[in-house]
Amino acid sequence: MSRHVFSRGDEGLPVAARGSGAEIFDADARRYLDGSGGAIVVGVGHGVDSVSDAIAEQARRIAYAHPTMFTTDVLEAYADELAPLLPLESPRIYPVSGGSEAVETALKMARAYHLARGEDRYLVIGRHGAYHGNTRGALDVSGRAGLRAPYLPWLGSALHTTAPYEYRCPFPETHPEGCGERHAQVLDELIVEHGAGRVAAFIAEPISGAGLGACVPPADYWSAVERVCRSHGVLLIVDEVMTGFGRTGAWFASEHWGVRPDLMVLAKGAASGYWPLGLAVASDDVHKTIMTGGFTHGFTYSHHGVGAAAGRAVLAVLKQLDLVQAARDRGAQLDAALRAELGNHPAVGDIRGLGLLRGIELVSDRQTRTAFARSDRVVERVVAAGMARGVLLYSSTGCADGRDGDLVLLGPPLIITESETDELASLTAAAIRDVLG
Ligand code: PLP
């Protein structure tokens, strides 16, 4: 092995050699069931020839042309095919190289929109426990204390409000009555406190991703926060990096509550891991307004033709195989199987999610919902046990209080078969039992 890779994992990671459907094989031909699509990335599955062929074909035709000098047929076609599926009016799509870049782009779009209207708005409100990426702007609007901690001197221009987290609702005295309205009230007060004329945008995941582990908000949440944003002229940025492209059983999770964002960010499932593709999307109104003042922004690799070819081919597979419906069907199956396997386990506090985005929160005491101490490294051990059993699980920590809190996140490729779905539930349960009895 090279001694020159600045690795993200431990020394001695297995070598990924090949993928097919919901399976990854390492260099020793060992099989892993991809229960998490990596970091909830892979929608159409591994080894899809139509996607790799589309990438190769575009790279052969023309791999790179600078986005200020050229557009490409494939990008124009991709945008036309994607636009009708997005929950924005006549959307304008700005392709970049991943989720964090898409978030940075959307934040700048929000600022540019207000500047074009003659308003010097710059504050952005995110939510506690949220994750929007690791670049500085995206990390600042994120609310995961552990990820922010080393970089705090660089952060601090964003504000944070409450996130719906039904298992640990911030309003226990009235829960479950009117929780969405309570969250909206807190958001409203925060905007008023800092002055509506200074607040540019509110950014949120429609269903929490890595930070809070597939928390589905109460039914009244989205209409209430959308109303508050509109009443103050604050733009609504919906981050569907993890939930987009069918993952939760709808093309985009915003659809579950009829949310109509001003700006939207996408990545992960957009190109299903075949290419580093992110998308910042603006509504027609936001785009038109920005263009009256101009948009000072850009990346060398934005609007990449090969990325558009990957995204377009992935979109075609999602449609051909009706993978949005598959996410609903397999998601319901996975949920039922997890509940059957783990519903009575003393360390399983909550099983939650929608479609094929599912979270399992592990606790040391179900009655009191007490989290394990971080020093126990519970979820890390569960993931390792899963790997030893041949199943890939995604994990997150800090949901309970910013430090403690162990979450197993499942998000397999949407093409996962019925039998693989049952296998995923039983291997996940076995890995949890290996560690917690
Ligand atoms: N937003 C959400 C909701 C995410 O889940 C992630 C990544 O996990 C990001 C943004 C950042 O995306 P990326 O890792 O592609 O920069």
Side-chain angles (χ1 to χ4, degrees):
M1 280 303 208
S2 164
R3 290 167 41 80
H4 298 288
V5 175
F6 194 147
S7 173
R8 268 194 73 181
D10 299 332
E11 294 286 313
L13 288 176
V15 176
R18 179 172 84 74
S20 171
E23 299 173 317
I24 289 180
F25 297 86
D26 71 14
D28 298 325
R30 187 151 187 262
R31 170 198 183 250
Y32 302 84
L33 178 62
D34 192 359
S36 63
I40 328 294
V41 173
V42 184
V44 299
H46 300 281
V48 178
D49 286 343
S50 63
V51 181
S52 25
D53 288 348
I55 289 171
E57 193 189 319
Q58 180 60 33
R60 262 196 298 272
R61 197 175 293 153
I62 170 122
Y64 183 77
H66 195 273
T68 61
M69 299 172 189
F70 291 98
T71 186
T72 50
D73 286 344
V74 68
L75 173 56
E76 301 290 324
Y78 176 46
D80 282 350
E81 286 161 16
L82 179 57
L85 301 172
L86 296 167
L88 299 90
E89 212 55 58
S90 211
R92 292 288 186 143
I93 299 161
Y94 193 112
V96 293
S97 303
S100 301
E101 277 192 9
V103 169
E104 299 289 347
T105 303
L107 297 178
K108 284 191 178 173
M109 284 176 175
R111 168 83 176 147
Y113 166 86
H114 293 294
L115 283 179
R117 289 164 48 93
E119 293 190 36
D120 187 16
R121 297 191 186 218
Y122 59 94
L123 290 171
V124 179
I125 301 177
R127 303 187 304 185
H128 301 299
Y131 183 62
H132 299 292
N134 258 327
T135 50
R136 268 157 69 168
L139 189 60
D140 205 10
V141 294
S142 298
R144 291 187 63 187
L147 300 183
R148 292 167 56 89
Y151 306 109
L152 280 177
W154 290 339
L155 307 176
S157 65
L159 307 171
H160 295 89
T161 186
T162 52
Y165 182 4
E166 294 299 86
Y167 184 62
R168 300 179 189 280
C169 180
F171 312 112
E173 65 291 352
T174 50
H175 181 80
E177 290 308 314
C179 293
E181 284 295 339
R182 299 283 310 268
H183 286 287
Q185 196 185 336
V186 174
L187 176 63
D188 187 64
E189 284 165 9
L190 191 64
I191 294 171
V192 171
E193 182 193 336
H194 289 269
R198 297 164 68 206
V199 181
F202 168 62
I203 182 167
E205 302 147 278
I207 297 172
S208 294
L212 297 179
C215 278
V216 180
D220 63 336
Y221 176 81
W222 273 108
S223 59
V225 294
E226 203 173 342
R227 188 192 67 230
V228 167
C229 289
R230 303 262 177 262
S231 73
H232 292 295
V234 169
L235 294 185
L236 174 59
I237 308 175
V238 169
D239 181 344
E240 294 234 24
V241 165
M242 194 174 274
T243 53
F245 292 94
R247 172 59 54 193
T248 69
W251 272 103
F252 299 96
S254 298
E255 287 165 33
H256 295 300
W257 300 278
V259 185
R260 302 288 291 173
D262 302 295
L263 290 158
M264 187 171 191
V265 284
L266 301 162
K268 296 191 187 263
S272 209
Y274 285 80
W275 187 264
L277 178 66
L279 307 166
V281 184
S283 70
D284 189 38
D285 175 44
V286 169
H287 171 258
K288 276 200 185 105
T289 306
I290 290 175
M291 293 328 281
T292 64
F295 190 39
T296 309
H297 182 60
F299 299 117
T300 297
Y301 295 118
S302 81
H303 301 74
H304 204 287
V306 181
R312 191 176 183 212
V314 163
L315 196 57
V317 177
L318 289 169
K319 286 180 183 169
Q320 272 157 19
L321 302 183
D322 199 359
L323 293 182
V324 180
Q325 180 64 45
R328 273 200 289 273
D329 296 343
R330 296 286 77 74
Q333 183 194 341
L334 181 60
D335 184 54
L338 288 172
R339 285 177 198 282
E341 291 268 4
L342 291 166
N344 294 321
H345 193 289
V348 172
D350 196 22
I351 300 172
R352 55 188 180 240
L354 258 187
L356 278 174
L357 180 65
R358 298 281 162 181
I360 304 167
E361 182 161 346
L362 302 171
V363 288
S364 65
D365 185 328
R366 256 168 90 131
Q367 225 59 46
T368 57
R369 306 190 172 188
T370 307
F372 288 103
R374 190 74 294 275
S375 53
D376 292 342
R377 296 177 63 78
V378 166
V379 79
E380 289 87 340
R381 290 191 281 133
V382 169
V383 169
M387 194 109 180
R389 285 182 174 272
V391 66
L392 303 175
L393 307 172
Y394 196 55
S395 67
S396 147
T397 59
C399 56
D401 61 5
R403 188 193 50 160
D404 297 340
D406 293 84
L407 283 169
V408 177
L409 214 57
L410 299 179
L414 312 183
I415 47 73
I416 190 169
T417 64
E418 239 178 288
S419 62
E420 285 169 337
T421 303
D422 284 337
E423 186 190 5
L424 174 57
S426 62
L427 285 174
T428 303
I432 289 173
R433 284 191 215 104
D434 286 344
V435 175
L436 297 166

